[in-house]
Amino acid sequence: MTLRMPIRSSLLLIILTAGFSSRISAAESKPGVKITQLEDRLRIEIRGELFSEYHFKDVPRPFLYPVIGPDGLPMTRDWPMKNSSSEEHDHPHHRSLWFTHGAINGVDFWSEEPKSGRTVHDKFTSIKSGRNVGTIKSKDSYVAQDGKVICTDDRTLRIYDRPNERLFDFEVSIHASHGDLVFGDTKEGTMALRLNETMRLVPNKFNKGKPAGHIVNSEGVRDGATWGKRAAWCDYWGPVNGRIVGVAIFDHPHNPRHPTWWHVRDYGLFAANPFGLHDFENQPAGAGNLTVPAGASIIFRYRFYIHRGDDKEAKVAEHYQEYAKP
């Protein structure tokens, strides 16, 4: 014998089920990148979830914080933006994810000492949300402690909607708008982020005895040996809240001095730096200087690939080829 539900009850069940399913689908997908301008920052959401915020007002330099990876995991440390009892309070200028250099016409834009320069956000020229990509375009001035403008830049961030990973491009055109421009030979730079403390190659005092992170570059060099080496890409991966996740930085083939050198430290600093030859290769002081003539510009392009698993699981090498040879 076949049991039949009353027609009215069946229709009601179908409607309720369909409505519930559609709500789940909407919550899971919400496709696209949404960028919302607030008073002091831009809020960036991917599929309805926070990815990062671009802080631009009353800061030593614009920076992205937090940076949220797959599964909602924080990829950069909280301090100094937010106090944390489980993080080292070193290098207060390591603000999550940023671009700058430690010697531009002799001015230190890397640290936050009293005589350091500041990268001042001037304006946004474009903020666009999108189904597949969101775009932020802005202009900045590099200002010395005495108020003198050293140079200016135009920067573009492209944030992509990709399932199960986070992918974004950071492009900056620096203009010798106020005379000749010299990027000085120092390891203190340049395209950088400070990773979540639990991903460090050498655990901090709060994480002793726990699993640590690892570093690998495109040449197969691993862990501490990657510091100061040249490579097309570098990947830093490790545990966050019991899961393995990583960040790879790709150096674009058209960048000056590609493949770049890597200022990547066992305590979680991770930076691409094409200027620090004296430190990285023990060359004479100034060997890494790079001059941009007055009125000219220089362009740097990088891609950040935030992924689940280690470099092999995430197919970092294959992702780099997609970037280098689209």
Side-chain angles (χ1 to χ4, degrees):
M1 180 177 66
T2 302
L3 295 176
R4 297 178 180 271
M5 295 180 65
I7 294 176
R8 185 175 298 175
S9 299
S10 300
L11 288 173
L12 180 60
L13 179 61
I14 291 171
I15 292 170
L16 289 174
T17 303
F20 181 69
S21 299
S22 65
R23 286 196 297 273
I24 291 177
S25 176
E28 287 179 346
S29 58
K30 289 187 178 178
V33 179
K34 180 181 179 182
I35 304 172
T36 305
Q37 183 167 355
L38 306 175
E39 181 182 355
D40 59 349
R41 64 198 186 278
L42 301 180
R43 180 179 175 89
I44 307 166
E45 296 172 287
I46 300 176
R47 301 194 172 201
E49 297 181 347
L50 176 65
F51 164 60
S52 189
E53 292 184 331
Y54 185 76
H55 299 257
F56 61 86
K57 185 177 180 181
D58 299 327
V59 291
R61 68 198 62 84
F63 60 90
L64 287 164
Y65 169 81
V67 178
I68 307 299
D71 305 313
L73 298 174
M75 303 303 298
T76 60
R77 73 171 181 177
D78 288 324
W79 198 78
M81 290 69 62
K82 184 171 70 174
N83 195 29
S84 173
S85 60
S86 61
E87 296 181 345
E88 299 280 7
H89 289 186
D90 62 274
H91 301 87
H93 51 284
H94 290 178
R95 295 178 180 269
S96 190
L97 192 154
W98 70 100
F99 178 92
T100 194
H101 190 62
I104 304 179
N105 282 13
V107 179
D108 179 7
F109 287 92
W110 179 260
S111 69
E112 296 179 18
E113 298 299 323
K115 294 184 179 180
S116 299
R118 300 174 65 246
T119 307
V120 178
H121 169 81
D122 292 327
K123 65 178 181 179
F124 292 109
T125 56
S126 178
I127 300 172
K128 291 183 179 180
S129 302
R131 170 60 184 84
N132 299 309
V133 59
T135 306
I136 301 167
K137 295 185 178 183
S138 65
K139 291 181 177 291
D140 305 271
S141 296
Y142 294 67
V143 184
Q145 190 272 337
D146 62 2
K148 179 181 179 182
V149 176
I150 304 299
C151 60
T152 58
D153 80 26
D154 284 275
R155 57 183 63 186
T156 300
L157 279 70
R158 297 183 185 90
I159 305 98
Y160 300 94
D161 179 358
R162 298 277 288 265
N164 305 319
E165 64 187 34
R166 294 289 180 259
L167 197 72
F168 70 96
D169 296 337
F170 196 115
E171 177 180 312
V172 55
S173 300
I174 302 180
H175 313 297
S177 52
H178 292 67
D180 289 348
L181 195 60
V182 178
F183 289 87
D185 187 343
T186 174
K187 62 181 173 58
E188 306 299 347
T190 304
M191 183 76 259
L193 78 160
R194 178 66 185 263
L195 289 159
N196 189 310
E197 289 280 273
T198 62
M199 296 174 67
R200 293 163 51 129
L201 180 62
V202 175
N204 67 20
K205 62 185 179 182
F206 307 102
N207 296 311
K208 287 183 178 179
K210 296 182 179 180
H214 291 280
I215 310 168
V216 63
N217 69 22
S218 60
E219 306 306 302
V221 181
R222 303 188 66 85
D223 294 339
T226 55
W227 185 83
K229 299 297 191 302
R230 301 184 76 173
W233 57 261
C234 193
D235 188 46
Y236 207 134
W237 55 268
V240 177
N241 296 344
R243 302 186 186 184
I244 298 299
V245 288
V247 180
I249 305 178
F250 298 160
D251 185 49
H252 195 279
H254 294 162
N255 278 348
R257 296 177 175 171
H258 173 83
T260 194
W261 290 261
W262 294 92
H263 185 26
V264 55
R265 292 295 200 182
D266 58 15
Y267 60 81
L269 174 65
F270 185 13
N273 179 346
F275 307 114
L277 275 68
H278 170 63
D279 295 299
F280 299 146
E281 297 191 355
N282 199 29
Q283 293 194 27
N289 288 358
L290 189 152
T291 300
V292 182
S297 300
I298 189 169
I299 303 175
F300 297 94
R301 302 177 179 92
Y302 302 94
R303 171 165 287 181
F304 289 77
Y305 169 38
I306 306 175
H307 57 81
R308 294 170 173 165
D310 61 20
D311 60 294
K312 298 298 184 185
E313 294 174 70
K315 298 182 178 180
V316 172
E318 290 88 334
H319 277 69
Y320 177 76
Q321 289 304 316
E322 293 177 6
Y323 176 58
K325 302 175 181 178

